[in-house]
Amino acid sequence: MIRRPPRSTLSSSSAASDVYKRQTYIKMTGVLALGSNITISGGTYDYTTQFIHLPFGLTVQDGSTLAMEGGTYRAHYPTGKYTSLVQCSGFSLTLSNHGTLSISHNILKVSDVTVSSDWWLQMLYMDNVPLTVSDSSNLTFSYNTISASNVVTTSSKVWYWFTVYLYGSAMTITDNSTLSISHSKVTASDVTAVGSLNWFTIYATKSGDLAVSYSSRLLIDYRDTTISNIVVSGGGMYQYDFHYNSPITISTNSMVSMSNAVMSVSNVKTFWDFSINAFFPYQSPTSFTTIQANSDVAISDNVVIVSSITCGNVFWWSSLVALTSPLTVTTSSRLTISNNRMEPTDIDVKRYAWWFVVHCETYHIAIFQNSTMAIDDIRLSASNVKVGVGMYWVALFSDVSSTSNTVKTFGTLSITNYHVSANNIVVGTELVWYGLYLKRTPMAISSS
């Protein structure tokens, strides 16, 4: 079932359009099967909640396609706090047997607005229902732009931008299927906020497991981020490619890739943290991140250039962060972090600058059974940096208080071509540069 507005509502100047600014444009439910195709293309739309709402889920299967392309969506400050291009609730979003959901060449923009509460903007919002991509199916986001300019937030609430937001939702990519987010662009300028600002490509909270299995792929490639003239007076600014808070398993010839990103940030002042991280599994101690059965995680060819940053607490950059849960690479699998570049210039940090390629804290890293963790060709170059307490530049930092990190049974850990250069650095108490820094617990190396 498809519900569309009258043709006149596609003009933002019409009276009917003002009514639809507070409603959903299209509602869909049921099954697309047997090669069915629906394309929603072009147009400029004003809306506040969901553009496409799937209140009872949707199944796209048997070579069918649902495409959303070439539209400009102007998000207005809503009565609720969620603004989505596609929102799925009530039942699962399932792509199976060569089914495709494609969201491409769209612009989600916010400009000239004052916000007084939480506001969450996303391309795809999964609300307590599973997302499944299986049997040679594809979920693709390509050439989309999220843009914000001339925005003021007046409360301590937070503001989020997501490509994919999973709330209480498990995600499964299996049987030669792909979730791809490529050639995306994020631009933000002239934003003044009280509460924190957050940009995430994929973000999951209170969610079920993530499984990428049986020759499947999760790809976050070719991202272009430009952020300038930001003031956060009561919080921090956070940018993550992948943030997940439940067990993650990449298995059986599968791949997760985060590569070819260019991020430029300038003229930012935060009351609290300034944080840029690529792969951030943030989980409970009973959760795990496991790469197994000839699978790969690759974080490569990424560039971060930051200048004129004033940070009130911690400036934190990492390619991989594993906090509060174990990370395991096993059975002929590979974790590779290579050809990444970080260039901070004109930086003033009140407390700490933590610049770790891999940051492991509380729980261990285990590499075994012919598997590899490789950190190669990393370049960190800083100039005109002032840090109030301590600055850490470390390829692999581990602060594990319980069990030891482990390399065993023909496992390999390598750190090669790690380049650090610095000019005009002022540090209050600690200046730490290491390839490998084991703070509290040793690393156990055994069995070849």
Side-chain angles (χ1 to χ4, degrees):
M1 178 181 70
I2 302 176
R3 175 181 175 274
R4 299 182 186 274
R7 183 175 299 275
S8 62
T9 65
L10 301 184
S11 169
S12 61
S13 63
S14 68
S17 178
D18 293 335
V19 173
Y20 275 89
K21 281 179 184 177
R22 295 182 295 277
Q23 300 184 24
T24 300
Y25 270 102
I26 298 172
K27 284 188 179 181
M28 303 178 65
T29 189
V31 177
L32 289 181
L34 302 175
S36 302
N37 295 289
I38 295 177
T39 299
I40 302 160
S41 64
T44 298
Y45 307 90
D46 294 320
Y47 75 114
T48 62
T49 51
Q50 313 93 18
F51 186 81
I52 297 178
H53 188 202
L54 311 175
F56 302 106
L58 182 70
T59 298
V60 183
Q61 65 185 34
D62 303 334
S64 298
T65 298
L66 172 62
M68 184 178 185
E69 58 188 34
T72 298
Y73 303 89
R74 299 185 299 209
H76 288 259
Y77 181 58
T79 54
K81 68 178 183 178
Y82 299 111
T83 304
S84 312
L85 290 191
V86 180
Q87 178 174 329
C88 183
S89 57
F91 201 70
S92 66
L93 174 57
T94 301
L95 310 178
S96 66
N97 191 20
H98 301 272
T100 297
L101 171 58
S102 173
I103 300 174
S104 65
H105 295 89
N106 298 294
I107 300 172
L108 174 57
K109 64 185 298 184
V110 178
S111 62
D112 305 310
V113 65
T114 299
V115 181
S116 60
S117 67
D118 285 3
W119 199 3
W120 306 53
L121 297 101
Q122 48 264 325
M123 294 278 179
L124 173 63
Y125 171 35
M126 300 296 300
D127 184 8
N128 283 288
V129 294
L131 171 60
T132 302
V133 187
S134 66
D135 302 320
S136 302
S137 296
N138 295 282
L139 173 56
T140 64
F141 301 81
S142 60
Y143 296 96
N144 295 303
T145 298
I146 298 176
S147 171
S149 62
N150 300 318
V151 177
V152 177
T153 73
T154 60
S155 79
S156 59
K157 301 296 185 179
V158 295
W159 195 7
Y160 293 94
W161 290 263
F162 308 107
T163 300
V164 177
Y165 174 37
L166 305 162
Y167 181 81
S169 302
M171 182 162 66
T172 302
I173 308 164
T174 188
D175 296 323
N176 197 36
S177 296
T178 301
L179 190 162
S180 173
I181 302 172
S182 67
H183 297 91
S184 60
K185 180 180 289 187
V186 172
T187 64
S189 63
D190 302 312
V191 177
T192 302
V194 177
S196 296
L197 301 177
N198 302 268
W199 286 269
F200 298 93
T201 304
I202 296 178
Y203 179 81
T205 184
K206 299 181 181 180
S207 292
D209 295 5
L210 166 64
V212 184
S213 62
Y214 297 106
S215 303
S216 295
R217 298 153 296 279
L218 192 163
L219 310 176
I220 305 174
D221 297 328
Y222 296 100
R223 291 144 358 264
D224 185 354
T225 301
T226 304
I227 299 172
S228 63
N229 302 326
I230 309 291
V231 177
V232 185
S233 60
M237 196 185 91
Y238 305 88
Q239 196 277 335
Y240 302 102
D241 286 324
F242 184 95
H243 187 291
Y244 210 90
N245 72 335
S246 293
I248 299 170
T249 304
I250 300 106
S251 66
T252 320
N253 305 305
S254 296
M255 172 173 240
V256 172
S257 173
M258 283 157 276
S259 64
N260 297 293
V262 177
M263 184 174 189
S264 176
V265 183
S266 63
N267 299 318
V268 173
K269 182 176 182 179
T270 65
F271 170 79
W272 200 239
D273 295 344
F274 177 85
S275 181
I276 299 172
N277 295 287
F279 186 28
F280 195 122
Y282 188 84
Q283 305 158 330
S284 69
T286 57
S287 298
F288 299 88
T289 298
T290 304
I291 308 163
Q292 64 186 19
N294 196 37
S295 295
D296 289 89
V297 170
I299 304 169
S300 62
D301 303 300
N302 301 304
V303 177
V304 177
I305 300 173
V306 294
S307 62
S308 302
I309 309 296
T310 302
C311 172
N313 189 43
V314 175
F315 182 169
W316 185 10
W317 169 81
S318 295
S319 292
L320 169 63
V321 180
L323 295 182
T324 69
S325 62
L327 170 64
T328 300
V329 188
T330 183
T331 51
S332 302
S333 295
R334 295 151 296 276
L335 169 59
T336 305
I337 302 171
S338 64
N339 195 28
N340 294 318
R341 182 158 55 99
M342 169 69 167
E343 297 182 3
T345 304
D346 299 324
I347 310 297
D348 189 342
V349 181
K350 185 174 183 179
R351 297 186 66 221
Y352 290 95
W354 292 343
W355 297 336
F356 307 134
V357 181
V358 176
H359 182 185
C360 177
E361 192 164 326
T362 307
Y363 280 83
H364 65 272
I365 294 174
I367 307 161
F368 58 99
Q369 293 182 338
N370 297 297
S371 295
T372 301
M373 177 175 175
I375 301 172
D376 179 57
D377 196 11
I378 307 297
R379 297 178 182 273
L380 305 174
S381 176
S383 62
N384 303 324
V385 176
K386 180 180 179 182
V387 179
V389 181
M391 184 169 76
Y392 292 75
W393 281 24
V394 184
L396 173 56
F397 174 82
S398 177
D399 186 4
V400 177
S401 60
S402 54
T403 57
S404 297
N405 295 294
T406 303
V407 181
K408 67 179 183 179
T409 323
F410 298 97
T412 301
L413 168 64
S414 66
I415 301 172
T416 55
N417 298 312
Y418 178 55
H419 307 273
V420 174
S421 63
N423 183 45
N424 295 329
I425 309 296
V426 177
V427 179
T429 58
E430 300 174 307
L431 179 59
V432 179
W433 291 356
Y434 284 118
L436 175 63
Y437 182 15
L438 306 176
K439 188 172 183 181
R440 285 190 285 178
T441 304
M443 176 171 286
I445 303 174
S446 64
S447 305
S448 301

